[in-house]
Amino acid sequence: MIEGHFIVVEGIDGSGTTTQCAILAERLRARGLPAHTTREPSDGPVGVLIRQILTGRVVTPSQHGVRPPTWATMAALFAADRLDHLEAEINPNLTDGVTVICDRYDHSSVAYQTVSGGGGDDVSSWVLQLNSHARRPDLTLVLDVDPRVAASRRGMRSGGPELYEVSEMQVELAKFYAKIDELFPNDTIVHIDANLDVDGVAEAIWAEVMKLRGESA
Ligand code: TYD
């Protein structure tokens, strides 16, 4: 059996990754191609713990009251979740010939944990090292969006802001994503202008996925 393609969609919070993953999966299925959508943090045990941290339901005790775990602890948790996600969900689907569309992957770890860890090259090298056993995607689509556009999209969601949903940090993350290719020289990374409307972004993504499949859009 021919393995499925592993496609990752990345970008800052509010860039539209979740919406675009769902549209891409529907379009593939409409062509009779099996597709599975998934996300990181995953729905596995470590992913569930991470989501509890992101929403402030799990905290770390400190001398000055409670706080979120440090960036290094978060990097280790995200890396553990990723390996579990690969074993339990991503690899079995790919082996079955199913295209896997993943909402965020280790590019998020390198971006978010480096920025929250102070932004140094030593931090990003360590995060890359932690993720060195993570299977490489066949295609990574980075949704580039103006941080102000993303902030207004986040404002329309229900619930309070999560751990990394701080405007200043999102501006740094947008800059980081713009040059993320340098940190993944062996990956196929394509940047998509995500300031467009939902349909425009979906079309641009579809064209890249058809190129990957060697088909015309
Ligand atoms: P997100 O994907 O936006 O999920 P939701 O739509 O449920 O809010 O939230 C995940 C957050 O976790 C997001 O702020 C990015 C962050 N993150 C990391 O910091 N490192 C990682 O490795 C991953 C996968 C996500």
Side-chain angles (χ1 to χ4, degrees), residues 36-52:
H36 176 76
T37 52
T38 185
R39 60 179 185 168
E40 291 192 359
S42 78
D43 294 319
V46 187
V48 169
L49 169 62
I50 294 172
R51 285 187 187 279
Q52 289 174 339

